[in-house]
Amino acid sequence: MNLSFRSKLLALVATAALALVALVVSSAIIAGRVEGHLDDIRRHYLPKLGLRPQLEAQFERIQRGFQDAVAASDTEKLARTAELKKEFLQQLAQSSGAVDPGLAAALEQAVEDFHSKALSVSTRLIARETGEGVVAQMGEMQASQTRVAHLLDTATVFDKAELTNAFSAAADAQRIGSRIRLGLSLACLSMVLLLSLWNSRDMLAGMAHLTAGFRRFGEGDFRSPIPVVAKDELGVLARQANQMAQSLQRLESERSRVDSLKGVQSALSEQLRGELEPREVADRALSVLCRSLQCPVGALYSADPDGAFQLLGRHAVSAGAGGLSFRPGEGLAGQAALQTEITVVQAPADQLRITSGLAEGSPRAIALVPLIRFGKVTAILELVSLQPWSELSTELLASARETVAIALDVARGRDELRSLLGETQRQAAELTRAGAYKSQFLANMSHELRTPLNAILGFTQLLHEGEVGTLTGEQREFLGNVLTSGRHLLRLINDVLDLAKVESGRLDFRPEPIDLPQVIGEVNAILRTTAADKNVRVETAVDPAIGPVALDPARFKQVFYNYLSNALKFTPSGGLVTVRASPEGADFFRLEVHDTGSGIEPQDLPRLFVEFQQLDTGATKKHAGTGLGLALTKRIVEAQGGSVGVRSTPGVGSVFHAVLPRQATGEARPAMPQARSRAGAPEILVVEDNPADQTLIVEALSGAGYSVQTAATGAQALAKLRERAFDAMTLDLLLPDMSGVDLLARIRDGGPNAQLPVIVLTVVAEEGAVAGFRVSDVLAKPIETAALLDALRRAGVAAERRGAVLVVDDDPGCLRLMEATLGRSGFQTICRQDGEAALQAAAESRPVAVVLDLIMPRVDGFEFLERFRRTEAGRRTPVIVWTVKDLSAHDHARLRETAHAVVAKGGDGAVSLLRELNTFLPAAGVEVRREPGDG
C-alpha cells in the first residue's frame, strides 16, 4: 500500500488519540468517584478542624469589645461590638456545611441574645449606674455567655472515626482506577508501537538519503542531488533540498563576485592611503586594477586646466609610447571623455585593429573609464586586456572608479594646497621682511627727523629767550612763529609714527590708576592759552559715578587733546566748549567734547576719523591740519576696546565722543598689606606684590630694627606716600597695576617723598648679570629746558654743586644746544660724541649727572649704561636719558628708572638690602647680621 508519510503519520496519531481518549475517559470516571469522596470530606469534616478556634477567637473579640468600651466609657467602641457580632455570624454562615443547621440556628440565637444583654449592661455601666438591677442583668448576661460557649462546643465537635472511614473509601476508589488505567495504557502502547514499526521502514531509508545529501551541501558540494526514493513528504523534502542547493550555488557565485569587488576596494583604499602626490595615486591605482583584472597594460590620463588630458600614471607602458596626450573627442580615449559611462571595445583576436591613446595592435578588449567628480570628467582610466571582457570586470571598474576619482581629487587639492601654502609662506616672509624694513625705516625716520628738529627748536628757543643778545619785538615774534611751526611739525611727525605703530600692532599701552578730573584738567591747562587767544570758554563736568579709572594716561591725554584742540579750532570767538565724562554701562565711561562751531554737514560725517581726510580742503582751506588727529584717536580708542563717534547739527555745533574702558583687565591679585611698627625707628615702605617676598622683606627689616609699612600695588604705595614721609623705600619693578618705572616717576614729581632713597629689588638671571640701570629720568627730544632742569633737580643735581654734567650725544648740534642750555642755568658741562670717550671722561672727571642719548654708533646708550654702572664712579650717578628713540617695553625694562641701588632677590638679598639701607639710614644700635661667608 503506497501511502504518503502524512497518511501513515495520521494513522499512527489516530491510534494514539483513541488510546488517549480511552485513558482520559476512564481516568475522568475514576477521578469523579475519588473527587466525590474527597468533596464529602472537605464539606463535612475539614471545616470543623479550624472552625472552633476561629469562632471562639471571634466570640472572645466581642467580649473584649464590651470590656474595652466599659473601661474607656466610650460609646463609639460599644457601637463597634455590633460589627464584631456581624462578623461572627457571617463566619458561622460560611461554615453551614460543617455545622448542623439546628445547632447553627441555636448558636446564632444565643449570640444575638448575649450581644443584646451585654449591650444593655455596658450602656448602664458607662452611664455609671449601680444597684441590684444592674447586677441582675449582669447575671443574665453571664448565663447567656455560658450558653453560647456550650452551643459552640456542641456544634463544632469532631468525629475522627467518621473521617477515617471517608478517607478509606476515597483510597479504594483510587486503587481501582489505577488498575484500569494501567491496562488501557499497555494496550494503547502496543498498538502505537506496531504502527510505528510499520511507518519507520520507508522513512528511515528517505532520511538516510537526505542526511547524506545535506552533508554534501554543507561541505559546499552542490553537484550531486539527493535521490528521491518515495512520493511521500520526504521525497518532496528531497526535491526542495535539491532546489535549495541550486540557489546556494548561485549565491556562492554572487558572494565570490562581491568578495572580489570588496577585495579590489580594500586594496585600493590601502594603496591610496596617506598623503600621496597625484602621480603616486595614479600609479598605485593602476597597479591594483591591472593586477585584479589581469590586464597587462594600463594608463591614467588627467585633465589639465585647459581641457587636454595628459598621461599621469602608467602600468607597463614604455616611456616612448605614443599618444600619451589627447583632447576630448580625439580617438577612443578622447571620445570616452565626452561621456560618463564605461566604454568597452571587444573583438576576436586579429579581427580588429585600432589606435587608441595607449596602444596599436590587436587586444581582445580595451576598457575606457571616465573618472567623474562633481559632474565633470577629471581623468580617463584606460586598461588593455588580452582576454575577453566580462561583466564582472565592468562592475568592478564601476565600483572602483569613484574611489580613484576621490583619491586623485584629494591628491590634487593637497598638491594645490601645498603650493598655496608655500606661496603664502613666501608672501608671509616677504611681509615680515617688509614689516622689519618698515620698522627700521620708521626708527630711522624718527631719528633723522627729530634730530635736526631738536637743534632747530633748541637754538630757536635760546634766541627767543634772549640768551644770545637782545631781540626786537619783531624778531621775537618771528622766532615765536618758528617755534610754533617747529612744534606743530613735531606733533605731525609723532602722529604719523603713532599711526604706523597702530597699523603694525606695535603701539604699547601701560594702564595705571588715574585721577580722571586731574588728567582732564592737565590737558585743559595745556590748551588754556589757545582758548584765551580765541576767547573761547571751556567748561568741564566729570560725573563721580564713573568711579576709579585705570588707563594709559599718555594715550588718554592724546585722545582728549585731539578732541579739545579740534573743538577750540572750529569754535568761533566768544563760543563755548563743554567737556563731559559720564558712565557708560558697568565697565565703560563716555568722554564728550561739545563745541558751538559751525557744525558738520551729514554727507561729511563719514569722512571723519579717516586718515588724511579734511573737510576744508583746497584753496579755500581755513584751518591747519593733516587729517591725522581724529584717525589716530579712533585707532587708539579701538585698540583699547572702545569706540568713537560724532553727532552734529549744522549751524549749532558738534559733539565728539569716545567710549573707553574704566579698568584695565588681567591684573594680578595684589598681596595683602602688612605693617611692623617700632617707636623711633626709621620708616621703610616695602612695595612688593608677591606675598612670600613681601613677608621675607618685612621679617628681615623688622628683625633689623626698622619700622615697616607695605604696599602691594602702585596705587597703595602712592596713597601711603601722600599721607606721610618715609626714610627709604624698597620697590619691585613688576607691579600688578603699574610698572615700577612709572611709580618712581610719579614719586619724583613732588611731594613729601620726592627725594626718597629707593632700593630696587629685582631678579638676576645669572650671577654677575646687570638686571637694570639706575636712570633718573627719560626725556624726549626736542628738549624742553624746564623739563631738563626739573630732571636735574629731581636727581639732586644743583647748579652750585661741584662737578660737571656729562652730555653724551653723537650729534654735534645737540651737544652744542645742551651745552648752551645747561650753561645759561649755571651748570658746567662735559660733551662727548661717543660712548667710549664718554666713559673715559666719566672716569677722569666723576660727573654729578649724565645726560645720555641712546642711539649712537659703536657703543650705544644701553651699552654705555651697562659699563658705566659697573664703575665705582658711575654706581650712584644720576642718569637722564635724552633720546628720539621710541622706547619699547623691552627698552623700559632695561632702563629701570630712578633707583638708588639694585639688589637681587634670593641668595643674600636680605643682607644686601640691609647693607644698602645702612648706607644712608644707619639704625641706631642696630647691626646687620651677616650670613656665613658674607664679606
Side-chain angles (χ1 to χ4, degrees), residues 489-701:
L489 180 60
L490 178 62
R491 284 196 298 272
L492 175 61
I493 293 171
N494 290 336
D495 284 348
V496 172
L497 294 176
D498 281 346
L499 186 61
K501 287 181 183 178
V502 171
E503 290 178 344
S504 61
R506 294 175 50 245
L507 189 62
D508 295 326
F509 294 95
R510 298 181 179 88
E512 64 180 67
I514 63 172
D515 186 337
L516 190 59
Q518 178 182 341
V519 175
I520 291 176
E522 291 174 0
V523 177
N524 284 337
I526 295 173
L527 294 172
R528 185 175 295 117
T529 302
T530 303
D533 291 342
K534 293 195 65 176
N535 191 26
V536 174
R537 191 170 78 259
V538 179
E539 295 182 354
T540 302
V542 180
D543 191 342
I546 295 176
V549 176
L551 286 172
D552 186 326
R555 297 302 177 190
F556 176 76
K557 288 180 181 179
Q558 188 175 4
V559 169
F560 180 44
Y561 180 89
N562 285 336
Y563 273 173
L564 186 56
S565 61
N566 272 355
L568 293 174
K569 182 191 302 184
F570 293 100
T571 300
S573 177
L576 172 66
V577 174
T578 304
V579 178
R580 291 185 293 268
S582 58
E584 182 84 2
D587 302 320
F588 292 83
F589 73 94
R590 174 185 288 261
L591 176 69
E592 291 186 342
V593 178
H594 185 184
D595 65 60
T596 54
S598 59
I600 305 170
E601 296 295 333
Q603 64 270 20
D604 291 329
L605 291 177
R607 298 169 56 194
L608 299 174
F609 302 105
V610 180
E611 292 86 346
F612 310 109
Q613 291 285 327
Q614 287 187 290
L615 302 186
D616 56 338
T617 58
T620 61
K621 181 174 180 180
K622 298 178 181 180
H623 303 284
T626 61
L628 280 179
L630 290 180
L632 184 59
T633 296
K634 180 175 183 291
R635 298 292 189 92
I636 292 174
V637 171
E638 290 179 348
Q640 299 179 86
S643 62
V644 298
V646 61
R647 63 180 187 274
S648 181
T649 303
V652 178
S654 304
V655 180
F656 286 80
H657 76 265
V659 177
L660 290 163
R662 301 190 198 182
Q663 296 290 326
T665 57
E667 296 182 355
R669 178 177 293 180
M672 295 300 295
Q674 305 180 55
R676 299 288 178 87
S677 299
R678 294 174 65 96
E683 290 280 348
I684 311 297
L685 176 62
V686 175
V687 184
E688 172 63 64
D689 66 318
N690 185 282
D693 292 336
Q694 187 185 97
T695 302
L696 178 64
I697 297 170
V698 169
E699 292 295 335
L701 293 177

Side-chain angles (χ1 to χ4, degrees), residues 867-888:
R867 294 170 62 180
F868 181 60
R869 286 304 185 208
R870 288 177 177 173
T871 65
E872 183 63 29
R875 186 167 179 266
R876 296 184 179 275
T877 303
V879 176
I880 299 171
V881 171
W882 181 47
T883 183
V884 297
K885 177 178 174 62
D886 291 317
L887 297 179
S888 64

